[in-house]
Amino acid sequence: MKPTQLETHPKGSRARILLSSVFGPYAQDDKFGSRAINPMELYHNQVTRAQGSFSLRMFHRSWGIMMIQENISAPCSVLDFPTREAFARELTTNHYDIVGISGIIVNVGKVREMCRMVRELSPDSTIVVGGHVAAIPGVETMIDADHIVRGEGISWMRRYLGEDESAPIRHPNIVSGLRTRIMGMLLPERKGGTAATIIPSVGCPMGCNFCTTSAFFGGKGKFVNFYETGDELFEVMCRIEAELKVHSFFVMDENFLLHRTRAMRLLELMKQAGKSWELSVFASANAIRKYTMLELVELGVSWVWMGLESPRSSYSKLQGNNVGQLTRELREHGIRVQGSTIIGLEHHTPDNIAEEIESAIAYQTDFHQFMLYTPVPGTPLYQEMSDQGRMLPDVDFADVHGQFKFNFRHAAISREDSKRFLDWAFWRDFERNGPSLYRMCQTILLGWRRYKNHPDARVRERFAREVKKLSSAYNAALWVMEREFKKVNRTVSERIHKLRREVQKESPVIARLTAASLGPILLWSTRREENRLAKGRTYEPPTFLERRNWVVATETP
Ligand code: B12
Ligand code: SF4
């Protein structure tokens, strides 16, 4: 390791840089730390994983390295989701002065292997490792890197290249998801069909004790804003709207609504310009409560990811909030809710855990993530558990992702039982509430009925867009879900039937026609998918290689 005082790279902005995510395949067990239960898929990994062919499957690019690439003037390649062979090929077919590797804690084995490969195949390269993997105490002794970067990476890389680290942040055009698949159908990827990702900031000032993103970017009271004002954000969104032809944004900010001044200014500008945008946001209950439902609807909030930690826990983000009522209200206003529940909080015991899970499920959120309470290196919780001698010594970092078993000694629940309770929570939510796609359809209908005659044309337009999908493709999906869910829970199947009838009232001809024409095809693909999944089919993201400032590099050796 080099001394902590950072020296600028001798070539400065002329240095050639490779930024890579860790290698796949991911959804399999291997010696580098891939795990079959930890695929590179957000929903199937931790939200809809028990929903069989109804699980929402999609991939997301590695946005951290895309952001860094966009904000440096050095010639830079981004290699996303490589195989080991593709990484080796890139190292040997091009000469790189700097190789940056991005990983999170579960990936430490892969980061180690990639550092080894760089030393062997490109020995003159400087190795820089960033992302959450850097939070592991003593990581310097686990991997052979020259620099290990903790926290925000754009400013670090700019500093290392001798560039202006406080220059405005340029936002890359990011299509939020790719290769989306549901009920055995791969959705077509047409321009503008998928939301764009916007990253206004990293970190969260709430500082919940288990939260790794908050801790990594400074902890309680701290975060890094890329765009301070609503004006800056609006400008970025307008540009991306025009370039990607989108009107829907996935706002990747741990607690977007917490920054009310910025959000309200954004709303003002959206109104002035007549923007009928849809925003998917992460927000804590206390932040959501800073807004009226109408403000949220006008701002285009159509999907909220919200922690539902047990009412008996002491997290300040929940203080004074009746989360059940809030969830109901949001859905009644057409806002899809993705709840997040932690299994294995300090007060959980084998006697009360089922009841706690049942009450979380009773909120009837559209989507529900369950995660094990997990002390992750770098967080206050990890420190506390280490101080108390409660961390289990032999747990592989590849298994510390909250979807397997406890990595610490819980006061009342065993490691084996932690997995049983977690798996049961996913199953029970599916069995009692039905597929998330069906719940989403319910929320869309509620929103449409409430706002279809709203005086603001932007709001009407947004709900009209949503209901169009509901009465066509989604209605065909409802037809299939109603049939297939009889095997799981007849009562839910009847509820789906009722919803379908309601949808048909809104759009009698189209809804009937699509159910009759598309329904049987979807039924066939759903059953085919069930068979494939039963035989162990998994999905992997494609590899991306993107170069920036590359021509300049070849002209100025
Ligand atoms: C999108 C996402 C994913 C995507 C995959 C993205 C990908 N292509 O790898 C999906 C959904 C598939 C995913 C999966 C998982 N994820 Co995830 N994911 C995220 C999420 C929501 C956003 C990441 C992001 O883009 N952030 C915005 C960018 C700008 O920030 P950033 O990536 O941290 O990058 C900055 C710095 O870290 C740094 N940096 C990053 N890379 C590099 C490289 C270099 C060279 C340098 C210098 C700097 C640097 O600079 C960047 C700019 O400041 C984060 C939460 C969050 N808010 O960050 C969780 C998060 C990263 N995921 C996490 C986890 C645990 C997982 C899973 C294990 C799932 C699970 N069970 O929870 C799996 C693992 C998958 C696998 N097999 O590897 C944790 C990581 C915890 C940890 N301490 O390691 C996070 C922090 C969520 C959380 N709070 O628990 N994830
Ligand atoms: S409110 Fe959410 S994002 Fe913020 S610190 Fe707590 S868990 Fe993390």
Side-chain angles (χ1 to χ4, degrees):
M1 282 286 296
K2 298 229 167 104
T4 40
Q5 179 64 33
L6 182 64
E7 283 169 22
T8 309
H9 190 279
K11 290 195 180 171
S13 292
R14 286 187 305 115
R16 292 160 70 96
I17 306 175
L18 172 64
L19 296 174
S20 181
S21 55
V22 295
F23 58 84
Y26 308 96
Q28 57 167 36
D29 293 334
D30 74 17
K31 64 176 178 176
F32 299 112
S34 278
R35 294 289 183 268
I37 59 160
N38 193 21
M40 195 49 92
E41 297 171 80
L42 172 59
Y43 289 93
H44 195 65
N45 185 322
Q46 63 220 66
V47 185
T48 53
R49 71 166 159 99
Q51 301 193 9
S53 57
F54 301 116
S55 177
L56 180 56
R57 321 274 314 235
M58 67 168 84
F59 304 106
H60 301 276
R61 295 286 307 277
S62 303
W63 301 323
I65 49 177
M66 291 172 83
M67 290 289 283
I68 297 174
Q69 183 192 39
E70 186 75 15
N71 283 285
I72 53 177
S73 50
C76 177
S77 309
V78 157
L79 183 59
D80 210 357
F81 309 126
T83 54
R84 279 175 83 224
E85 296 68 32
F87 182 61
R89 202 178 320 122
E90 192 53 29
L91 288 174
T92 47
T93 48
N94 284 291
H95 176 264
Y96 287 104
D97 300 296
I98 301 169
V99 177
I101 302 166
S102 178
I104 61 175
I105 289 175
V106 287
N107 305 138
V108 65
K110 294 185 180 187
V111 174
R112 181 190 302 123
E113 170 64 4
M114 291 171 84
C115 291
R116 191 198 62 74
M117 289 170 73
V118 180
R119 293 290 187 231
E120 183 188 315
L121 302 172
S122 182
D124 298 335
S125 303
T126 301
I127 303 179
V128 182
V129 169
H132 288 264
V133 68
I136 302 177
V139 68
E140 302 76 13
T141 59
M142 299 173 190
I143 58 176
D144 179 12
D146 298 298
H147 299 282
I148 294 174
V149 180
R150 297 186 176 84
E152 209 285 293
I154 300 173
S155 55
W156 188 93
M157 195 57 92
R158 282 174 162 175
R159 205 175 333 137
Y160 186 48
L161 300 175
E163 300 185 2
D164 176 6
E165 60 177 288
S166 58
I169 300 289
R170 282 187 302 271
H171 203 295
N173 289 342
I174 304 176
V175 176
S176 73
L178 54 123
R179 301 255 169 115
T180 306
R181 162 184 290 273
I182 192 158
M183 298 167 78
M185 286 283 194
L186 191 60
L187 304 191
E189 292 190 348
R190 58 179 177 80
K191 195 161 187 176
T194 310
T197 297
I198 297 283
I199 309 174
S201 70
V202 284
C204 173
M206 296 299 288
C208 300
N209 67 342
F210 59 83
C211 182
T212 95
T213 7
S214 177
F216 195 62
F217 295 99
K220 208 175 177 71
K222 306 227 174 64
F223 63 102
V224 181
N225 243 352
F226 292 144
Y227 304 103
E228 295 279 346
T229 64
D231 293 74
E232 287 171 271
L233 206 51
F234 182 72
E235 199 186 309
V236 170
M237 290 167 79
C238 284
R239 181 182 52 77
I240 292 179
E241 174 192 38
E243 288 174 13
L244 292 182
K245 307 276 173 258
V246 291
H247 37 240
S248 172
F249 296 91
F250 177 74
V251 186
M252 185 54 250
D253 183 313
E254 285 291 26
N255 209 334
F256 178 69
L257 296 176
L258 203 55
H259 313 287
R260 184 175 157 89
T261 316
R262 183 175 67 183
M264 291 309 285
R265 175 65 183 150
L266 178 65
L267 171 57
E268 198 180 322
L269 294 167
M270 282 168 65
K271 278 185 174 170
Q272 278 168 20
K275 298 289 185 195
S276 172
W277 288 339
E278 275 162 61
L279 309 187
S280 299
V281 304
F282 294 77
S284 52
N286 66 330
I288 298 172
R289 279 296 185 208
K290 291 178 175 203
Y291 302 79
T292 62
M293 285 296 146
L294 187 60
E295 281 169 344
L296 293 175
V297 167
E298 289 185 336
L299 188 58
V301 174
S302 57
W303 185 92
V304 171
W305 184 315
M306 175 176 77
L308 302 175
E309 281 73 271
S310 157
R312 288 204 247 163
S313 67
S314 56
Y315 294 109
S316 56
K317 60 182 172 175
L318 300 171
Q319 297 297 290
N321 286 296
N322 178 338
V323 178
Q325 190 196 331
L326 179 58
T327 305
R328 236 184 346 269
E329 247 180 278
L330 287 164
R331 295 191 75 203
E332 281 164 6
H333 287 263
I335 300 173
R336 270 90 83 190
V337 179
Q338 165 140 344
S340 176
T341 292
I342 299 182
I343 307 287
L345 288 167
E346 294 286 349
H347 69 275
H348 286 159
T349 67
D351 293 333
N352 69 19
I353 186 85
E355 189 194 319
E356 290 256 324
I357 292 171
E358 290 287 8
S359 51
I361 288 170
Y363 294 150
Q364 297 192 327
T365 54
D366 300 78
F367 292 89
H368 209 136
Q369 163 181 268
F370 295 93
M371 272 278 174
L372 287 180
Y373 194 50
T374 306
V376 177
T379 60
L381 179 64
Y382 181 81
Q383 193 55 49
E384 192 188 320
M385 292 296 143
S386 305
D387 293 347
Q388 293 175 14
R390 289 170 63 189
M391 293 308 299
L392 297 175
D394 297 323
V395 179
D396 190 327
F397 279 121
D399 296 315
V400 181
H401 50 67
Q403 290 296 325
F404 183 49
K405 295 176 183 175
F406 280 152
N407 63 336
F408 74 113
R409 219 161 0 90
H410 188 276
I413 297 173
S414 72
R415 187 163 142 78
E416 293 310 314
D417 279 349
S418 67
K419 179 168 167 26
R420 271 198 284 277
F421 291 133
L422 178 73
D423 292 347
W424 184 75
F426 278 108
W427 165 247
R428 185 73 175 137
D429 176 56
F430 181 51
E431 195 229 348
R432 261 188 68 178
N433 294 326
S436 288
L437 182 57
Y438 147 64
R439 305 182 224 171
M440 233 177 75
C441 291
Q442 266 181 328
T443 309
I444 293 176
L445 186 65
L446 289 170
W448 163 249
R449 288 199 166 151
R450 190 177 273 253
Y451 289 105
K452 62 182 171 186
N453 297 319
H454 193 266
D456 184 343
R458 300 177 316 112
V459 173
R460 287 199 306 277
E461 201 184 302
R462 174 162 74 81
F463 284 100
R465 274 200 308 267
E466 290 187 350
V467 87
K468 210 165 145 193
K469 286 185 245 168
L470 182 61
S471 47
S472 51
Y474 289 179
N475 189 51
L478 285 173
W479 181 82
V480 177
M481 287 186 266
E482 179 190 329
R483 291 176 79 104
E484 294 299 88
F485 221 74
K486 276 190 197 134
K487 292 176 245 166
V488 184
N489 183 336
R490 198 161 260 281
T491 321
V492 174
S493 169
E494 280 158 17
R495 291 211 302 260
I496 301 175
H497 177 77
K498 268 199 204 124
L499 176 65
R500 214 159 57 74
R501 289 268 166 269
E502 295 300 312
V503 172
Q504 281 180 2
K505 275 190 208 154
E506 296 299 322
S507 191
V509 181
I510 298 178
R512 264 174 232 275
L513 276 180
T514 37
S517 56
L518 189 57
I521 302 172
L522 261 185
L523 180 63
W524 170 79
S525 69
T526 300
R527 289 183 176 164
R528 185 190 55 176
E529 186 73 358
E530 282 300 342
N531 285 333
R532 283 175 172 167
L533 296 175
K535 286 185 193 137
R537 168 74 68 99
T538 54
Y539 295 101
E540 296 290 341
T543 302
F544 293 83
L545 176 60
E546 287 156 349
R547 305 198 197 279
R548 197 167 173 276
N549 302 323
W550 203 247
V551 180
V552 181
T554 49
E555 283 168 359
T556 51

